[in-house]
Amino acid sequence: MIKIIFTDLDGTLLDSYGKISDDNFNACIKVQQQGIPVVVNTGRYGENALKIAKRIKVDQYLGYVIGNDGSEIWSFKDKKWIYLSQIDAKMTNKLAQWLLKFDDKILLNFSCLNRFYVNRLYDRWQHWLAQLEVEMSEVEDFNNFAQTISRIMVILEKPWDQEKTKRFINQFNQEFPNLTITQYHAKSFSIAQENTNKGTAIIWLCHHLGLDIKQAMAIGDNANDLSMLKVVGFPIVMDNSADNVKKYAKWVAPNNDNHGVASAIEHYITK
């Protein structure tokens, strides 16, 4: 029996326009009324994740939100962040300088609980900023950068070849053994504290709540969702996912424009 549901946002609970369909909304409300928590588990920064969770009334059911790919867990019951796995300013400074030395053309996005910092402003950010409702500041000197960071995104102007990508990851792992790097796409990487991802956050929260993780459902669509799909008893993947993600699914739901989350909930719970 499923006791808790974890859902990704972009490409999963949200459609291609960033909206929650009526079907998805009603399904999330129905299971919460039955006492099954619906936990937003997203790569989006914390404060934005909270706003979207409130759209499905997670706050009214005193539920939980996981932000920045497992770096942050918010409890509406306790009204605070009950788990934070972040990178301190000293490490952030060292990391930023190493990354820019490796390739000075990369874009760096430093995600906090409530805002972003970047190594340089760029037009491509504008649409994403509007969708996330977040402020962004340019960092001119990392020696004086004193912010605690939840996650760092490394974004390439164009994809590296396979040899450079392999060299980058190998050198990173040697230089920063206490950090974790995950390749999102051909043009992006995510960096966080060691053993910090959506899956480890699920393990922590299930333990905190006294729930068996094998009774958890996770719904996702992307490479950063693999860590949570691998640990739960009911891994659900959207039809809009890549084949290398779908192979981890217990069931493939309709795509995010066809109420896939609602279909998964109906398939396993409400029907």
Short mmCIF file of all heavy atoms in Angstrom, two decimals, residues 70-109:
data_model
loop_
_atom_site.label_atom_id
_atom_site.label_comp_id
_atom_site.label_asym_id
_atom_site.label_seq_id
_atom_site.Cartn_x
_atom_site.Cartn_y
_atom_site.Cartn_z
N GLY A 70 16.91 18.06 -3.43
CA GLY A 70 17.18 17.33 -2.20
C GLY A 70 17.99 18.09 -1.17
O GLY A 70 18.26 17.55 -0.09
N SER A 71 18.36 19.33 -1.46
CA SER A 71 19.17 20.11 -0.52
C SER A 71 18.34 20.70 0.62
O SER A 71 18.90 21.05 1.66
CB SER A 71 19.89 21.25 -1.25
OG SER A 71 20.79 20.74 -2.21
N GLU A 72 17.03 20.80 0.42
CA GLU A 72 16.18 21.51 1.39
C GLU A 72 14.88 20.75 1.61
O GLU A 72 14.27 20.27 0.64
CB GLU A 72 15.85 22.91 0.86
CG GLU A 72 17.05 23.69 0.40
CD GLU A 72 16.76 24.66 -0.73
OE1 GLU A 72 15.63 24.65 -1.27
OE2 GLU A 72 17.68 25.41 -1.10
N ILE A 73 14.44 20.62 2.84
CA ILE A 73 13.13 20.04 3.14
C ILE A 73 12.39 20.98 4.08
O ILE A 73 12.87 21.31 5.16
CB ILE A 73 13.24 18.64 3.79
CG1 ILE A 73 14.02 17.69 2.88
CG2 ILE A 73 11.84 18.08 4.07
CD1 ILE A 73 14.22 16.30 3.46
N TRP A 74 11.19 21.38 3.66
CA TRP A 74 10.35 22.28 4.44
C TRP A 74 9.19 21.50 5.05
O TRP A 74 8.59 20.63 4.41
CB TRP A 74 9.78 23.39 3.57
CG TRP A 74 8.78 24.27 4.24
CD1 TRP A 74 7.42 24.10 4.29
CD2 TRP A 74 9.04 25.47 4.99
NE1 TRP A 74 6.82 25.11 5.00
CE2 TRP A 74 7.79 25.97 5.45
CE3 TRP A 74 10.19 26.17 5.32
CZ2 TRP A 74 7.67 27.13 6.21
CZ3 TRP A 74 10.08 27.33 6.08
CH2 TRP A 74 8.84 27.79 6.51
N SER A 75 8.88 21.81 6.30
CA SER A 75 7.72 21.22 6.97
C SER A 75 6.67 22.30 7.21
O SER A 75 6.95 23.28 7.91
CB SER A 75 8.14 20.60 8.31
OG SER A 75 7.00 20.32 9.10
N PHE A 76 5.50 22.14 6.61
CA PHE A 76 4.41 23.08 6.89
C PHE A 76 3.88 22.88 8.31
O PHE A 76 3.34 23.81 8.90
CB PHE A 76 3.28 22.92 5.88
CG PHE A 76 3.57 23.57 4.54
CD1 PHE A 76 3.81 22.81 3.42
CD2 PHE A 76 3.60 24.95 4.43
CE1 PHE A 76 4.07 23.40 2.19
CE2 PHE A 76 3.86 25.56 3.21
CZ PHE A 76 4.10 24.78 2.09
N LYS A 77 4.05 21.70 8.85
CA LYS A 77 3.63 21.45 10.22
C LYS A 77 4.49 22.24 11.20
O LYS A 77 4.00 22.88 12.12
CB LYS A 77 3.72 19.95 10.53
CG LYS A 77 3.33 19.60 11.96
CD LYS A 77 3.46 18.09 12.20
CE LYS A 77 3.09 17.74 13.63
NZ LYS A 77 3.22 16.27 13.88
N ASP A 78 5.82 22.21 10.98
CA ASP A 78 6.74 22.91 11.87
C ASP A 78 7.00 24.35 11.45
O ASP A 78 7.63 25.11 12.18
CB ASP A 78 8.08 22.15 11.92
CG ASP A 78 7.92 20.74 12.45
OD1 ASP A 78 7.28 20.59 13.50
OD2 ASP A 78 8.41 19.80 11.81
N LYS A 79 6.57 24.69 10.22
CA LYS A 79 6.74 26.03 9.66
C LYS A 79 8.21 26.44 9.60
O LYS A 79 8.60 27.55 9.95
CB LYS A 79 5.94 27.06 10.48
CG LYS A 79 4.45 26.81 10.47
CD LYS A 79 3.69 27.85 11.28
CE LYS A 79 2.20 27.55 11.29
NZ LYS A 79 1.43 28.51 12.11
N LYS A 80 9.05 25.51 9.13
CA LYS A 80 10.47 25.81 9.01
C LYS A 80 11.14 24.75 8.12
O LYS A 80 10.56 23.70 7.83
CB LYS A 80 11.15 25.84 10.38
CG LYS A 80 11.17 24.50 11.09
CD LYS A 80 11.87 24.60 12.45
CE LYS A 80 11.95 23.24 13.13
NZ LYS A 80 12.63 23.33 14.45
N TRP A 81 12.38 25.07 7.72
CA TRP A 81 13.20 24.09 7.00
C TRP A 81 13.74 23.09 8.03
O TRP A 81 14.45 23.47 8.94
CB TRP A 81 14.36 24.78 6.28
CG TRP A 81 13.90 25.74 5.22
CD1 TRP A 81 13.85 27.10 5.32
CD2 TRP A 81 13.40 25.41 3.93
NE1 TRP A 81 13.34 27.64 4.16
CE2 TRP A 81 13.06 26.62 3.29
CE3 TRP A 81 13.21 24.21 3.23
CZ2 TRP A 81 12.54 26.68 2.00
CZ3 TRP A 81 12.68 24.26 1.95
CH2 TRP A 81 12.37 25.48 1.35
N ILE A 82 13.36 21.84 7.89
CA ILE A 82 13.78 20.84 8.87
C ILE A 82 15.04 20.10 8.42
O ILE A 82 15.60 19.32 9.20
CB ILE A 82 12.65 19.83 9.16
CG1 ILE A 82 12.20 19.13 7.86
CG2 ILE A 82 11.48 20.53 9.83
CD1 ILE A 82 11.21 18.01 8.09
N TYR A 83 15.46 20.33 7.19
CA TYR A 83 16.67 19.69 6.68
C TYR A 83 17.33 20.60 5.66
O TYR A 83 16.66 21.10 4.74
CB TYR A 83 16.32 18.36 6.02
CG TYR A 83 17.48 17.68 5.33
CD1 TYR A 83 18.33 16.82 6.02
CD2 TYR A 83 17.72 17.88 3.97
CE1 TYR A 83 19.40 16.18 5.39
CE2 TYR A 83 18.78 17.25 3.32
CZ TYR A 83 19.61 16.41 4.04
OH TYR A 83 20.65 15.80 3.40
N LEU A 84 18.62 20.88 5.83
CA LEU A 84 19.38 21.69 4.88
C LEU A 84 20.74 21.03 4.66
O LEU A 84 21.46 20.75 5.61
CB LEU A 84 19.57 23.12 5.39
CG LEU A 84 18.32 23.99 5.48
CD1 LEU A 84 18.64 25.30 6.20
CD2 LEU A 84 17.75 24.27 4.10
N SER A 85 21.09 20.79 3.41
CA SER A 85 22.40 20.28 3.04
C SER A 85 23.01 21.27 2.06
O SER A 85 22.72 21.23 0.86
CB SER A 85 22.27 18.89 2.41
OG SER A 85 23.53 18.40 1.99
N GLN A 86 23.84 22.18 2.56
CA GLN A 86 24.29 23.31 1.76
C GLN A 86 25.82 23.40 1.71
O GLN A 86 26.53 22.75 2.48
CB GLN A 86 23.69 24.60 2.33
CG GLN A 86 22.16 24.60 2.26
CD GLN A 86 21.54 25.81 2.92
OE1 GLN A 86 21.79 26.09 4.08
NE2 GLN A 86 20.75 26.55 2.16
N ILE A 87 26.29 24.24 0.80
CA ILE A 87 27.72 24.45 0.58
C ILE A 87 28.10 25.80 1.16
O ILE A 87 27.49 26.82 0.81
CB ILE A 87 28.05 24.40 -0.93
CG1 ILE A 87 27.57 23.08 -1.53
CG2 ILE A 87 29.55 24.59 -1.16
CD1 ILE A 87 27.67 23.03 -3.05
N ASP A 88 29.10 25.83 2.03
CA ASP A 88 29.46 27.10 2.67
C ASP A 88 30.21 28.02 1.70
O ASP A 88 30.64 27.61 0.61
CB ASP A 88 30.26 26.88 3.95
CG ASP A 88 31.62 26.21 3.72
OD1 ASP A 88 32.21 26.39 2.64
OD2 ASP A 88 32.09 25.50 4.63
N ALA A 89 30.37 29.28 2.10
CA ALA A 89 30.93 30.30 1.21
C ALA A 89 32.36 29.98 0.81
O ALA A 89 32.77 30.20 -0.34
CB ALA A 89 30.85 31.67 1.89
N LYS A 90 33.16 29.47 1.73
CA LYS A 90 34.55 29.16 1.43
C LYS A 90 34.66 28.13 0.32
O LYS A 90 35.45 28.28 -0.63
CB LYS A 90 35.26 28.66 2.70
CG LYS A 90 36.74 28.38 2.50
CD LYS A 90 37.39 27.93 3.81
CE LYS A 90 38.87 27.62 3.62
NZ LYS A 90 39.50 27.18 4.90
N MET A 91 33.86 27.06 0.42
CA MET A 91 33.87 26.03 -0.61
C MET A 91 33.31 26.57 -1.92
O MET A 91 33.80 26.25 -3.01
CB MET A 91 33.07 24.81 -0.15
CG MET A 91 33.00 23.68 -1.17
SD MET A 91 34.63 23.04 -1.63
CE MET A 91 35.06 22.13 -0.14
N THR A 92 32.26 27.40 -1.83
CA THR A 92 31.68 27.98 -3.04
C THR A 92 32.70 28.82 -3.79
O THR A 92 32.81 28.75 -5.02
CB THR A 92 30.46 28.85 -2.68
OG1 THR A 92 29.48 28.03 -2.04
CG2 THR A 92 29.84 29.46 -3.93
N ASN A 93 33.48 29.62 -3.06
CA ASN A 93 34.52 30.43 -3.69
C ASN A 93 35.54 29.56 -4.41
O ASN A 93 35.90 29.82 -5.57
CB ASN A 93 35.23 31.28 -2.63
CG ASN A 93 34.33 32.32 -2.02
OD1 ASN A 93 33.30 32.66 -2.58
ND2 ASN A 93 34.71 32.83 -0.86
N LYS A 94 36.03 28.55 -3.73
CA LYS A 94 37.03 27.64 -4.32
C LYS A 94 36.46 26.95 -5.56
O LYS A 94 37.14 26.85 -6.60
CB LYS A 94 37.46 26.61 -3.28
CG LYS A 94 38.46 25.59 -3.80
CD LYS A 94 38.81 24.57 -2.72
CE LYS A 94 39.76 23.50 -3.28
NZ LYS A 94 40.08 22.47 -2.25
N LEU A 95 35.23 26.48 -5.45
CA LEU A 95 34.59 25.76 -6.54
C LEU A 95 34.39 26.67 -7.75
O LEU A 95 34.68 26.28 -8.89
CB LEU A 95 33.26 25.19 -6.07
CG LEU A 95 32.41 24.46 -7.10
CD1 LEU A 95 33.17 23.28 -7.68
CD2 LEU A 95 31.10 23.98 -6.47
N ALA A 96 33.89 27.88 -7.52
CA ALA A 96 33.63 28.81 -8.63
C ALA A 96 34.91 29.12 -9.39
O ALA A 96 34.93 29.12 -10.63
CB ALA A 96 33.01 30.09 -8.09
N GLN A 97 35.99 29.37 -8.67
CA GLN A 97 37.25 29.69 -9.33
C GLN A 97 37.79 28.49 -10.10
O GLN A 97 38.34 28.65 -11.19
CB GLN A 97 38.25 30.18 -8.28
CG GLN A 97 37.84 31.52 -7.67
CD GLN A 97 38.81 32.01 -6.62
OE1 GLN A 97 40.01 32.05 -6.84
NE2 GLN A 97 38.29 32.37 -5.45
N TRP A 98 37.62 27.28 -9.56
CA TRP A 98 38.08 26.08 -10.28
C TRP A 98 37.27 25.88 -11.55
O TRP A 98 37.82 25.57 -12.62
CB TRP A 98 37.95 24.87 -9.37
CG TRP A 98 38.46 23.60 -10.00
CD1 TRP A 98 39.73 23.13 -10.00
CD2 TRP A 98 37.68 22.66 -10.76
NE1 TRP A 98 39.81 21.95 -10.69
CE2 TRP A 98 38.58 21.64 -11.18
CE3 TRP A 98 36.33 22.58 -11.13
CZ2 TRP A 98 38.14 20.55 -11.94
CZ3 TRP A 98 35.91 21.50 -11.88
CH2 TRP A 98 36.81 20.50 -12.29
N LEU A 99 35.94 26.04 -11.47
CA LEU A 99 35.08 25.86 -12.63
C LEU A 99 35.42 26.84 -13.75
O LEU A 99 35.50 26.47 -14.93
CB LEU A 99 33.61 26.01 -12.22
CG LEU A 99 33.03 24.91 -11.34
CD1 LEU A 99 31.70 25.34 -10.74
CD2 LEU A 99 32.87 23.61 -12.13
N LEU A 100 35.62 28.10 -13.40
CA LEU A 100 35.91 29.11 -14.40
C LEU A 100 37.32 28.95 -14.98
O LEU A 100 37.57 29.35 -16.12
CB LEU A 100 35.72 30.50 -13.81
CG LEU A 100 34.26 30.85 -13.47
CD1 LEU A 100 34.18 32.14 -12.67
CD2 LEU A 100 33.41 30.95 -14.74
N LYS A 101 38.20 28.37 -14.22
CA LYS A 101 39.54 28.06 -14.73
C LYS A 101 39.46 26.92 -15.73
O LYS A 101 40.17 26.91 -16.74
CB LYS A 101 40.48 27.71 -13.59
CG LYS A 101 41.92 27.46 -14.03
CD LYS A 101 42.82 27.17 -12.83
CE LYS A 101 44.26 26.92 -13.27
NZ LYS A 101 45.15 26.63 -12.12
N PHE A 102 38.57 25.96 -15.47
CA PHE A 102 38.40 24.83 -16.39
C PHE A 102 37.84 25.31 -17.72
O PHE A 102 38.28 24.88 -18.78
CB PHE A 102 37.49 23.77 -15.77
CG PHE A 102 37.39 22.51 -16.59
CD1 PHE A 102 38.28 21.47 -16.37
CD2 PHE A 102 36.42 22.38 -17.57
CE1 PHE A 102 38.21 20.30 -17.14
CE2 PHE A 102 36.34 21.23 -18.33
CZ PHE A 102 37.24 20.18 -18.12
N ASP A 103 36.85 26.21 -17.65
CA ASP A 103 36.25 26.77 -18.87
C ASP A 103 35.62 28.11 -18.52
O ASP A 103 34.58 28.15 -17.86
CB ASP A 103 35.20 25.81 -19.43
CG ASP A 103 34.68 26.24 -20.80
OD1 ASP A 103 34.75 27.45 -21.11
OD2 ASP A 103 34.20 25.38 -21.56
N ASP A 104 36.24 29.20 -18.96
CA ASP A 104 35.75 30.53 -18.56
C ASP A 104 34.50 30.96 -19.31
O ASP A 104 33.96 32.04 -19.04
CB ASP A 104 36.85 31.58 -18.73
CG ASP A 104 37.32 31.71 -20.18
OD1 ASP A 104 36.76 31.05 -21.07
OD2 ASP A 104 38.28 32.48 -20.41
N LYS A 105 33.99 30.11 -20.21
CA LYS A 105 32.77 30.47 -20.95
C LYS A 105 31.50 29.90 -20.31
O LYS A 105 30.39 30.21 -20.76
CB LYS A 105 32.88 29.99 -22.40
CG LYS A 105 33.95 30.69 -23.22
CD LYS A 105 33.96 30.18 -24.65
CE LYS A 105 34.94 30.96 -25.51
NZ LYS A 105 36.32 30.83 -25.02
N ILE A 106 31.66 29.08 -19.28
CA ILE A 106 30.48 28.47 -18.68
C ILE A 106 29.67 29.51 -17.90
O ILE A 106 30.20 30.53 -17.44
CB ILE A 106 30.84 27.30 -17.74
CG1 ILE A 106 31.74 27.78 -16.60
CG2 ILE A 106 31.47 26.16 -18.51
CD1 ILE A 106 32.07 26.70 -15.59
N LEU A 107 28.39 29.23 -17.75
CA LEU A 107 27.50 30.03 -16.91
C LEU A 107 27.30 29.29 -15.60
O LEU A 107 27.05 28.09 -15.58
CB LEU A 107 26.15 30.24 -17.60
CG LEU A 107 26.15 31.03 -18.90
CD1 LEU A 107 24.78 30.98 -19.54
CD2 LEU A 107 26.55 32.47 -18.65
N LEU A 108 27.41 30.00 -14.50
CA LEU A 108 27.23 29.41 -13.18
C LEU A 108 26.01 30.02 -12.50
O LEU A 108 25.87 31.24 -12.45
CB LEU A 108 28.47 29.63 -12.30
CG LEU A 108 29.77 29.03 -12.83
CD1 LEU A 108 30.93 29.39 -11.90
CD2 LEU A 108 29.65 27.51 -12.97
N ASN A 109 25.15 29.16 -12.00
CA ASN A 109 23.94 29.58 -11.30
C ASN A 109 24.00 29.04 -9.88
O ASN A 109 23.98 27.83 -9.67
CB ASN A 109 22.71 29.04 -12.04
CG ASN A 109 21.41 29.42 -11.38
OD1 ASN A 109 21.33 29.59 -10.17
ND2 ASN A 109 20.37 29.52 -12.18
#
